[in-house]
């Protein structure tokens, strides 16, 4: 049987890279997509050096031609496509609605919401063939508002609805939205750096404390879970919004994960 093939966006660092590493450890072909071409190529080579199968495809999720090219290169190289993990995302603008730049808001919509739609659309013919899976990396901010995060909250809420819409429209594809927890990534560093200007003081201080007290999750912790979901999530979960650490999810991880972290 052919190895499963999975596309991970935002895969050059942080959570996306952790997902790619775990998916490769689970014997999948991983296709790594991000704008930072050199870093992406380096990380893909590290996976290959470790015995995994990885392809680096640099590109911009907000561009339709890059989404289509990503799918074409994936199928050309591996002959199939089984899963997508929509991990790429941006926090900006970090500003209240009264002060936010509409052009930056528009970019948030392109990256966080329209990009996943365009990539999914391009991939659907192949996902249907293999009864594939689409994993939308969401956030708790999809369900409640955080002052200064209007664009991020709105686009993540929209991403959850995109996942649900895909679930009811595509009988041969399993679609999930997943909350990965508060992960120690560059986005958290951005909050700590710029949050004082765009967020209420109390909210900003809460994120500072998460770092100071060691409460941020290492990317490898939810990364392994997301890799398992992308490859093995059961059909009956179609359309659900899951938290990475809920018991039914971790039971699935215990069945399939190969890493101990």
């Amino acid at each position: 049987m052919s190895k499963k093939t999975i596309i991970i966006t935002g895969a050059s660092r942080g959570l996306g890279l952790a997902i790619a590493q775990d998916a490769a450890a689970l014997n999948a072909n991983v296709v790594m997509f991000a704008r930072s071409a050199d870093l992406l190529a380096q990380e893909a080579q590290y996976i290959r050096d470790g015995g995994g199968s990885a392809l680096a495809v640099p590109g911009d999720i907000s561009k339709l031609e890059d989404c289509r090219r990503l799918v074409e290169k994936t199928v050309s190289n591996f002959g199939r496509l089984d899963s997508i993990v929509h991990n790429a995302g941006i926090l900006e603008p970090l500003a209240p609605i009264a002060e936010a730049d509409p052009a930056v808001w528009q970019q948030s919509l392109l990256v966080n919401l329209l990009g996943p739609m365009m990539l999914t659309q391009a991939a659907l013919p192949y996902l249907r063939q293999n009864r594939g899976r689409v994993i939308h990396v969401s956030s708790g901010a999809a369900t409640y508002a955080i002052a200064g995060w209007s664009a991020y909250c709105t686009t993540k809420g929209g991403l959850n609805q995109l996942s649900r819409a895909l679930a009811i429209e595509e009988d041969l594809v399993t679609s999930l939205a997943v909350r990965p927890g508060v992960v120690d990534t560059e986005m958290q560093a951005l909050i700590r750096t710029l949050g004082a200007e765009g967020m209420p003081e109390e909210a900003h201080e809460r994120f500072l404390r998460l770092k100071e007290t060691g409460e941020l999750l290492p990317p490898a912790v939810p990364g392994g879970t997301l890799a398992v979901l992308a490859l093995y999530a059961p059909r009956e979960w179609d359309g659900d919004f899951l938290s990475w650490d809920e018991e039914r999810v971790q039971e699935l991880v215990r069945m399939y994960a190969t890493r101990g972290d």
Side-chain angles (χ1 to χ4, degrees), residues 177-189:
V178 183
R179 176 185 175 274
V182 187
V183 187
D184 195 2
T185 62
E186 287 192 359
M187 186 176 290
Q188 284 294 317

Side-chain angles (χ1 to χ4, degrees), residues 42 84 98 143 163 189 225 251:
Q42 174 182 294
I84 299 174
T143 61
S163 179
T225 295
E251 184 177 353

Side-chain angles (χ1 to χ4, degrees), residues 12-246:
S12 62
R13 57 173 62 87
L15 182 58
L17 176 57
I19 297 166
Q21 292 168 338
D22 274 281
L26 289 165
N27 200 38
N29 302 312
V30 297
V31 182
M32 303 166 68
F33 182 73
R35 291 178 297 173
S36 46
D38 291 345
L39 182 58
L40 194 71
Q42 174 182 294
E43 296 295 349
Q45 186 61 53
Y46 287 153
I47 289 175
R48 292 193 293 270
D49 290 345
S53 174
L55 172 69
V57 181
D60 187 338
I61 189 65
S62 70
K63 296 180 178 177
L64 177 59
E65 60 270 26
D66 284 10
C67 292
R68 290 174 173 171
R69 179 173 55 85
L70 171 59
V71 173
E72 290 168 2
K73 282 186 171 292
T74 297
V75 176
S76 175
N77 274 268
F78 295 118
R80 61 184 294 156
L81 175 56
D82 299 86
S83 303
I84 299 174
V85 179
H86 292 302
N87 170 71
I90 58 174
L91 179 65
E92 302 95 317
L94 195 57
I97 293 170
E99 301 171 13
D101 184 342
V104 186
W105 242 86
Q106 183 179 44
Q107 185 63 20
S108 177
L109 287 164
L110 283 169
V111 172
N112 293 353
L113 187 54
L114 186 59
M117 175 270 170
M118 293 189 297
L119 178 54
T120 298
Q121 183 184 67
L124 275 173
Y126 306 101
L127 294 171
R128 290 170 184 148
Q129 288 176 9
N130 296 311
R131 296 185 176 271
R133 297 168 178 84
V134 180
I135 307 299
H136 305 81
V137 179
S138 185
S139 168
T143 61
Y144 56 83
I146 300 174
W149 290 26
S150 57
Y152 187 76
C153 294
T154 300
T155 53
K156 287 299 183 180
L159 191 69
N160 280 17
Q161 285 294 79
L162 177 65
S163 179
R164 294 183 185 109
L166 185 65
I168 64 172
E169 291 178 359
E170 294 292 333
D171 293 339
L172 300 179
V173 176
T174 298
S175 176
L176 299 173
V178 183
R179 176 185 175 274
V182 187
V183 187
D184 195 2
T185 62
E186 287 192 359
M187 186 176 290
Q188 284 294 317
L190 182 67
I191 294 168
R192 293 192 297 272
T193 303
L194 301 180
E197 298 179 7
M199 299 170 60
E201 182 179 358
E202 182 180 348
H204 180 234
E205 288 180 351
R206 182 172 71 85
F207 284 96
L208 293 176
R209 286 195 300 271
L210 288 173
K211 180 66 172 179
E212 293 167 358
T213 57
E215 295 178 65
L216 297 177
L217 293 169
V221 175
T225 295
L226 285 157
V228 168
L229 286 170
L231 296 170
Y232 303 111
R235 177 65 185 163
E236 56 265 29
W237 295 359
D238 190 31
D240 286 0
F241 177 35
L242 306 172
S243 179
W244 78 276
D245 58 351
E246 62 184 86

